[in-house]
Amino acid sequence: EPISAIGTRPAVDEGVADTDKTAGSDVQGGRGPEGHADGETQSGRRRVGRYSEFKVLLDDPAETPGLRFSNYASALAEIVVHSKAEFAIGIFGSWGSGKTTLSQAIKKILDSDEGVVTVWFPAWRYEQDQHLIFPLLDLLREALDARADSTHEWARTAANAVARAGRAFLAGVTLSAGVPGVEAQLEPGRIISAIQDDTEGGSKSLSSYHAGFVMLRDAIAELSANGKRRLVIFIDDLDRCLPAKALAVLESMKLFFDVEGCVFVVGLDQEITERAVTVKYRSLGEANPQASISGADYVKKIFQVPFALPPMRTWQLHELLDTIEKSADFNDAQRQDFNQNIRNHLRFLTDEESINPREVKRLINAYILQLKMLGSLLRDEFDPNIVLALQCMNFRSDRSEE
């Protein structure tokens, strides 16, 4: 029986039990004295138990990350600040390994530098946008607008230039709605007219792409001020995008590659990206083997500074738990449970050399959910150590399949 596997604590004091029955909150056989469902009182409200206010862990980057992330962030931030701003950093790691945490740690350092403008681009949020360059330019414009004031007039000028570049790219693009897979169409007349409106003097460009690129280059040149300032664009959540869309994000970065004053910091799973490249360009290689594109070579060409995020070792688990406790909004009861139960059992979580930080959080959340469900069913009269032991046994890869 599932309940017998959990175990129970000693019976409560009879006086307490009688008081509970009088209040109509007793739960016997799944029903209270008035026929209420498990854990409900006569008023229909859920009973407040020992674990009612326990909270799950959110998948948010830690404000003060451990696992040597501060050292990694400082080194990468120094590269961004002191190198010629015309390169891309690739932070490679598997799902849940801490790419976002490291990227935000780098951003936090750079945000304290007056000469750096940072832009955070959550790729997953804009995955459904057909033309990813437009939300990226919008976020850049917003970041510059936020800097613009009487002492940062350059930011206002650069923001206006980015807006003009966006209009040049967008000009003449109409959307054919009403059918699956929206397609973009170009109207040369509208393109030329829009570009001419934004171009002062001289000959008029006939290419919207070229005109937009020139305007974007000028905007970043205004921001850069001959190397005094730099733009750093962080691209996050590529792991949450479909492989083809993640590749489209990387393709959109090429627009900035020849623009001095711009640095990209991108977190991605290298293996998934390489597979996406192989799938996309497979037909090209089949038609002409000499023109085939290797996924590994594609990634190397984009990222001049590669950083493979070291996996978290099992012996570092205590440091991860310290970081979780510092950043979590636990009440006293949950903090006590975390230190007395979770820390004790997670020592036996795995016998493998490495462990995924996100999986640790997921296990803790599953444990908290079980506490709440069993607390309602058994009125908190069970041993949480048995619940957590079962969770850890299920987590281990060497558990018996029988």
Side-chain angles (χ1 to χ4, degrees), residues 60-77 91-94 96-109 307-313 316 319-320 323 355-358 361:
D60 292 334
E63 287 291 331
T64 54
L67 306 176
R68 300 179 181 174
F69 274 40
S70 297
N71 295 335
Y72 305 150
S74 295
L76 290 167
I91 299 176
F92 303 121
S94 60
S97 58
K99 298 184 294 296
T100 299
T101 296
L102 178 56
S103 294
Q104 289 204 352
I106 298 170
K107 184 177 183 296
K108 185 176 181 180
I109 295 174
F307 177 69
L309 198 57
M312 190 187 88
R313 301 302 180 185
Q316 294 177 299
E319 188 176 351
L320 173 65
T323 301
I355 193 169
N356 188 297
R358 186 172 290 168
K361 288 185 177 182

Side-chain angles (χ1 to χ4, degrees), residues 78-292:
E78 287 177 1
I79 288 177
V80 171
V81 172
H82 297 293
S83 304
K84 182 180 178 180
E86 195 176 346
F87 60 94
I89 297 174
I91 299 176
F92 303 121
S94 60
W95 172 86
S97 58
K99 298 184 294 296
T100 299
T101 296
L102 178 56
S103 294
Q104 289 204 352
I106 298 170
K107 184 177 183 296
K108 185 176 181 180
I109 295 174
L110 296 178
D111 283 339
S112 64
D113 191 321
E114 182 68 18
V116 179
V117 176
T118 62
V119 176
W120 190 268
F121 183 72
W124 183 52
R125 180 181 301 172
Y126 302 102
E127 184 178 16
Q128 300 305 315
D129 198 312
Q130 187 181 9
H131 308 285
L132 292 171
I133 185 62
F134 297 132
L136 179 54
L137 290 178
D138 268 339
L139 290 174
L140 172 55
R141 178 184 52 77
E142 290 175 359
L144 291 169
D145 277 336
R147 278 286 190 97
D149 56 31
S150 58
T151 60
H152 299 87
E153 192 59 36
W154 58 266
R156 193 183 315 280
T157 303
N160 292 335
V162 169
R164 289 195 299 272
R167 287 195 295 272
F169 288 123
L170 184 62
V173 178
T174 60
L175 299 179
S176 301
V179 294
V182 179
E183 298 179 353
Q185 299 176 340
L186 296 178
E187 296 182 4
R190 289 179 57 192
I191 294 175
I192 296 172
S193 175
I195 293 173
Q196 289 177 343
D197 289 342
D198 277 333
T199 304
E200 297 180 0
S203 59
K204 309 300 183 183
S205 174
L206 298 180
S207 167
S208 63
Y209 182 89
H210 175 70
F213 173 78
V214 170
M215 293 175 186
L216 182 60
R217 182 192 61 194
D218 292 345
I220 296 179
E222 178 71 25
L223 181 156
S224 176
N226 295 321
K228 294 180 180 179
R229 295 182 291 265
R230 58 200 57 220
L231 168 66
V232 184
I233 300 176
F234 292 86
I235 296 184
D236 186 43
D237 281 344
L238 277 182
D239 287 356
R240 297 187 180 187
C241 297
L242 294 173
K245 206 63 177 182
L247 187 57
V249 174
L250 297 180
E251 294 281 355
S252 68
M253 289 168 47
K254 294 180 179 179
L255 181 65
F256 296 81
F257 281 176
D258 294 328
V259 180
E260 184 178 353
C262 183
V263 177
F264 278 90
V265 180
V266 185
L268 70 162
D269 187 316
Q270 184 170 358
E271 182 179 347
I272 293 177
T273 304
E274 291 179 0
R275 284 204 305 266
V277 171
T278 301
V279 171
K280 180 174 181 178
Y281 295 105
R282 179 180 298 162
S283 58
L284 180 63
E286 293 173 351
N288 182 5
Q290 294 182 346
S292 62

Side-chain angles (χ1 to χ4, degrees), residues 299-310:
V299 171
K300 289 177 182 178
K301 289 178 181 178
I302 291 182
F303 299 104
Q304 296 78 26
V305 183
F307 177 69
L309 198 57

Side-chain angles (χ1 to χ4, degrees), residues 325-366:
E325 184 184 4
K326 289 178 182 177
S327 59
D329 184 22
F330 292 156
N331 61 19
D332 291 342
Q334 186 167 6
R335 193 171 304 278
Q336 181 179 11
D337 180 86
F338 184 87
N339 288 314
Q340 292 184 353
N341 297 333
I342 292 178
R343 286 183 181 275
N344 183 43
H345 283 275
L346 262 58
R347 293 181 299 154
F348 310 102
L349 187 59
T350 180
D351 63 344
E352 298 178 358
E353 292 185 359
S354 61
I355 193 169
N356 188 297
R358 186 172 290 168
E359 288 289 4
V360 173
K361 288 185 177 182
R362 283 166 51 84
L363 182 143
I364 294 173
N365 287 343

